[in-house]
Amino acid sequence: MEGWVREILRCPGCGSPLRDGRRPDGEPELVCTGETCALAYPVRDGIPVLLVDEAYPSGGTV
Ligand SMILES: [Zn+2]
């Protein structure tokens, strides 16, 4: 993903920046850097799905 895109993306839950991650199954994800939030958002067909309803706890427990 382009850097400038990631810079403007924020977690809809807490407003923290997101970092690139990768799920255990190899799919990309965006992980919230907020310590109290730490949700991960899926990336489908290269498009980040920044919906709290679609988020799941980060840390490999998909
Ligand atoms: Zn967050």
Side-chain angles (χ1 to χ4, degrees):
M1 185 179 302
E2 298 291 338
W4 67 268
V5 174
R6 191 167 58 252
E7 286 177 10
I8 63 173
L9 294 177
R10 289 292 185 272
C11 172
C14 70
S16 295
L18 300 166
R19 65 171 175 80
D20 287 318
R22 193 163 290 276
R23 297 178 359 183
D25 62 7
E27 293 297 312
E29 66 181 3
L30 287 174
V31 182
C32 175
T33 58
E35 292 184 4
T36 61
C37 178
L39 289 174
Y41 297 86
V43 179
R44 293 183 184 142
D45 298 326
I47 301 173
V49 182
L50 297 181
L51 299 173
V52 174
D53 286 347
E54 298 284 338
Y56 46 86
S58 62
T61 54
V62 178

